[in-house]
């Protein structure tokens, strides 16, 4: 009679495995070794992008009114974009899609009644973030169109540790 019909298990003295699992449920271990299991609402794995990023536009301007602080906060639950400066406050939720180790960002909704219809009418494309091995870089049509006179630029992001 088969063991399965007797409701018994065979004891295996040794199991050959490439990766040794931790002796307890360790979220970080599984997130690091099986990132495809951790997906956002759109179905893409963005856990390696989690963190807070920032950049300052016109940082060296002699006129303080031209300086703008841009921040991105990427977490398990959301991607938040904020921009602050002289007569400027934008607070948006973005959607994402990971594509070839790049993170594609698009406008999703305005938060705190901060929808800037003039800026969003031009474009809702928040571009692509990528890591070149040394720096996080952002190609962002939204910023180009609204803060750089339409000139296409690559923005260097500072990531908090």
């Amino acid at each position: 009679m088969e063991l399965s019909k007797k409701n018994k298990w065979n004891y295996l003295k040794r199991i050959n495995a490439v990766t040794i699992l931790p002796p307890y449920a360790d979220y970080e271990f599984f997130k690091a070794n099986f990132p495809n299991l951790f997906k956002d609402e759109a179905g893409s794995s963005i856990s390696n992008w989690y963190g807070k990023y920032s950049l300052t536009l016109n940082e060296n301007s002699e006129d303080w009114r031209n300086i703008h602080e841009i921040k991105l906060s990427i977490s398990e639950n959301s991607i938040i974009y904020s921009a602050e400066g002289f007569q400027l406050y934008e607070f948006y939720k973005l959607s994402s899609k990971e594509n070839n180790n790049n993170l594609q960002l698009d406008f999703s909704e305005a938060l705190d009644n901060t929808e800037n219809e003039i800026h969003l009418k031009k474009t809702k494309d928040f571009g692509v973030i990528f890591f070149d091995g040394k720096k996080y870089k952002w190609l962002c049509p939204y910023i180009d169109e609204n803060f750089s006179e339409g000139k296409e630029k690559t923005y260097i992001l500072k990531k908090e540790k």
Side-chain angles (χ1 to χ4, degrees):
M1 192 182 236
E2 278 182 47
L3 288 175
S4 62
K5 291 182 181 175
K6 291 182 180 178
N7 292 327
K8 294 191 177 196
W9 292 85
N10 273 341
Y11 173 72
L12 299 177
K13 193 169 187 176
R14 195 170 98 198
I15 298 173
N16 294 327
V18 176
T19 303
I20 298 173
L21 296 175
Y24 53 88
D26 181 359
Y27 177 73
E28 293 302 320
F29 171 86
F30 288 100
K31 197 164 86 172
N33 289 287
F34 306 101
N36 59 321
L37 298 177
F38 298 87
K39 301 184 182 290
D40 68 356
E41 295 168 359
S44 60
S45 172
I46 65 164
S47 60
N48 54 331
W49 296 102
Y50 291 172
K52 294 182 180 190
Y53 304 83
S54 64
L55 76 108
T56 304
L57 301 175
N58 308 316
E59 190 171 20
N60 298 322
S61 176
E62 291 181 19
D63 187 349
W64 61 272
R65 293 172 291 190
N66 293 333
I67 300 171
H68 306 295
E69 292 288 330
I70 309 286
K71 295 181 182 177
L72 275 177
S73 178
I74 303 174
S75 69
E76 182 177 358
N77 300 321
S78 64
I79 299 174
I80 304 297
Y81 163 91
S82 66
E84 295 181 23
F86 178 70
Q87 295 184 345
L88 171 70
Y89 177 65
E90 297 175 342
F91 194 51
Y92 303 149
K93 183 175 181 181
L94 305 180
S95 61
S96 68
K97 184 167 62 171
E98 190 174 41
N99 186 10
N100 297 328
N101 296 321
N102 297 331
L103 192 63
Q104 174 70 43
L105 302 173
D106 288 298
F107 174 81
S108 182
E109 67 179 290
L111 305 171
D112 286 351
N113 280 333
T114 64
E115 187 164 341
N116 188 326
E117 291 181 23
I118 296 169
H119 286 183
L120 290 169
K121 188 175 184 179
K122 294 177 185 177
T123 184
K124 292 184 179 187
D125 181 3
F126 279 76
V128 177
I129 298 176
F130 60 95
F131 183 67
D132 71 1
K134 294 180 183 179
K135 297 178 181 178
Y136 289 92
K137 296 183 178 182
W138 191 9
L139 299 171
C140 184
Y142 180 84
I143 293 174
D144 293 341
E145 207 46 58
N146 298 300
F147 303 109
S148 297
E149 299 171 357
K151 296 176 187 169
E152 189 174 305
K153 292 184 178 183
T154 301
Y155 303 96
I156 306 299
L157 293 169
K158 298 173 193 166
K159 184 175 182 183
E160 287 183 22
K161 294 186 180 188

